[in-house]
Each structure stands twice: as structure tokens, then as C-alpha cells.
Amino acid sequence: QTTSRAIGLLLGGDRLMGRAILDFALNEALVTLQNRQGLDGIIGLWPGSASGDLFLQAYAADFLGLAKAEGIDGAAALHEAFVARLARGLEQAEDPYFETELSLRTEAYGLAILARAERPDVAAQRLLFDEMILHPGDDFAKAALAVAAHAVGDFSDRDALLASLLDLPGAIIEAAPMRLYDYGGVLRDQLAGVRLPFRRDGR
């Protein structure tokens, strides 16, 4: 909820409140995210959690990347730390020793955040693409992986994933509305649809 509200404020809060109040609310969100880091360094739902959740880590890092781009004080350093811990978490998930199971949407979203932060794992993106492209469903994961592909200039994979989402095999994708039902509710689906495909810097 903290991250969802903070993203909403960044995308349109200046229309609803004064700059000083907006900056205070965003700074409060940064502090809350710092306090949500679990003992393993991954963000969790509650302060002091024994273990965190990599999907929430990716979601928080997504917000922090947007806050960094908007020049919010303290966001850049926190974004770097959250991205680094996300990258380490994804690496650990590939190691049987850690016995970590990731959902497709968590892995895809994490890869998208890493790619946007200029720390892509292209090999992992390609492997996940091969796993998902032939199967229906997993809308959020496909949208996120399309973002990762776009960030590294892999427009072929990006278009194939978006075509799969829209049931238009081989189509050239143009802007079109879509609802991502597995994100966790209609409002969150719409927020994901806004945040995933586009960035103000065009990436």
C-alpha cells in the first residue's frame, strides 16, 4: 500500500496537493520502505520481518526508480541498494542451496527492474521468454518481460510477448489498452498497465 500510494503521488500528486506536502509524503514513503527491509535485506510487509518478498522488492525498486528520475531526495541511493539486493535475490533463487521458488511474475518483474536499472540479465530473460511464449496466461509476467526486452533493445522478443498478450500472433504492436488480471485487483492492474510499458525518459 505504501508503494502503490507513493507511485500514485509521483504520477499525479502535484495536481492534488502542494509541493511541500507532496515532498513530505514521498519522504515518508522512503522511510517506510527502509523500515520494511527484513533480516535478509529484502522488503517485507511488516517492519523487522524475518524474510522478505522479492516481488515486493521489485515493486519498491520500481517506485524508487521513478522517484530517482523525479529528483526526490534520498531516492537514488535507496534505489541502488534495493536493485542490488534484488539482483542478489534473483541469483540466489537460481541456486538450489537456497531452496527459493519464484513465480513467473516475480522473476519477470525483477528482470524488468534490473534491465531498467542498466543491470540486465539477458540470459535469464531469454530463458524465461522461451518458457512463457508458447503458453497462454501469465499476463503480468509477459508484460514485465516485454519491458525487460525493450530495455535491452530486444524488440523481437518484446513484440512477440505483447502479441501473445493481445492474442495477435506475429502482429506489430501499437499502443492498446490491456488489463492485467493477475496483479492483484482492478486498480492495481490499471496501475501496472500504466507503469510497466512506459517511462518518461522513453525507455
Side-chain angles (χ1 to χ4, degrees), residues 105 137-141 143 165 177-190 192-193:
R105 69 176 193 154
D138 296 314
D139 288 353
F140 182 87
L165 278 172
M178 70 176 70
R179 180 172 294 173
L180 306 172
Y181 289 99
D182 59 352
Y183 190 61
V186 174
L187 291 178
R188 287 181 184 241
D189 292 349
Q190 292 171 351

Side-chain angles (χ1 to χ4, degrees), residues 8-51:
L9 290 174
L10 276 174
L11 293 178
D14 55 346
R15 301 177 184 176
L16 303 174
M17 58 184 69
R19 188 70 218 184
I21 297 175
L22 177 61
D23 287 343
F24 178 82
L26 291 172
N27 181 70
E28 193 173 50
L30 295 185
V31 172
T32 299
L33 289 178
Q34 284 182 299
N35 292 337
R36 289 292 186 271
Q37 294 177 90
L39 299 179
D40 58 0
I42 300 292
I43 193 171
L45 289 173
W46 311 108
S49 300
S51 61

